[in-house]
Amino acid sequence: QVELMESGGGLVQAGGSLRLSCAASTSIVRINHMAWYRQAPGSQRELVATITSGERTNYADSVKGRFTISRDNAQNTLYLQMNSLKHEDTGVYYCYGDTVSGDVGYEFWGQGTQVTVSS
């Protein structure tokens, strides 16, 4: 079982930047996919960005060119660099990981970190 813990959220003005971190309790080398999701008040959780074990990345259209996802396997940490923040980026950001062992799939979620962008 892998525990994920996010940090780095906070209050920032529109146009500002934040860097989110997600620390894993064990090695993330074997975690095939890692991602950041977010959930705004009254909205469904949505995918923000993904990164594979081979460091292939993908982004939601709404954050392309502004957010960068990265992973540091040596530090067992996932990152999300968020630049040019907008009010609509406000929400709780969750770290996610999934992997397969044999025939069994596993999913891991963090507890979330609040990001608030003031307009």
Side-chain angles (χ1 to χ4, degrees), residues 2 5 17 19 22 25 35 38-39 45 54 65-66 75 86 96 103 107 115 118:
V2 179
M5 180 173 292
S17 298
R19 188 194 196 200
C22 171
S25 59
R38 68 186 179 189
Q39 187 167 17
R45 193 171 296 188
R66 299 188 298 120
Q75 297 295 322
K86 304 176 181 180
Y96 167 88
D103 294 331
E107 291 187 345
V115 172
S118 62

Side-chain angles (χ1 to χ4, degrees), residues 24-42:
S25 59
T26 62
S27 173
I28 64 172
V29 170
R30 296 182 184 274
I31 299 181
N32 297 332
H33 297 92
M34 299 196 77
W36 289 96
Y37 285 77
R38 68 186 179 189
Q39 187 167 17

Side-chain angles (χ1 to χ4, degrees), residues 46-119:
E46 64 174 353
L47 180 63
V48 174
T50 65
I51 187 168
T52 67
S53 56
E55 303 200 17
R56 186 169 58 191
T57 60
N58 197 22
Y59 298 90
D61 288 343
S62 60
V63 306
K64 279 181 181 177
R66 299 188 298 120
F67 290 11
T68 302
I69 188 171
S70 62
R71 60 191 289 170
D72 185 337
N73 290 340
Q75 297 295 322
N76 298 326
T77 303
L78 177 73
Y79 298 100
L80 185 68
Q81 177 66 44
M82 305 186 294
N83 299 328
S84 302
L85 282 161
K86 304 176 181 180
H87 177 67
E88 51 264 42
D89 294 319
T90 295
V92 179
Y93 282 69
Y94 297 91
C95 177
Y96 167 88
D98 67 63
T99 191
V100 175
S101 179
D103 294 331
V104 180
Y106 298 90
E107 291 187 345
F108 315 106
W109 288 94
Q111 295 298 310
T113 185
Q114 176 70 44
V115 172
T116 303
V117 184
S118 62
S119 55

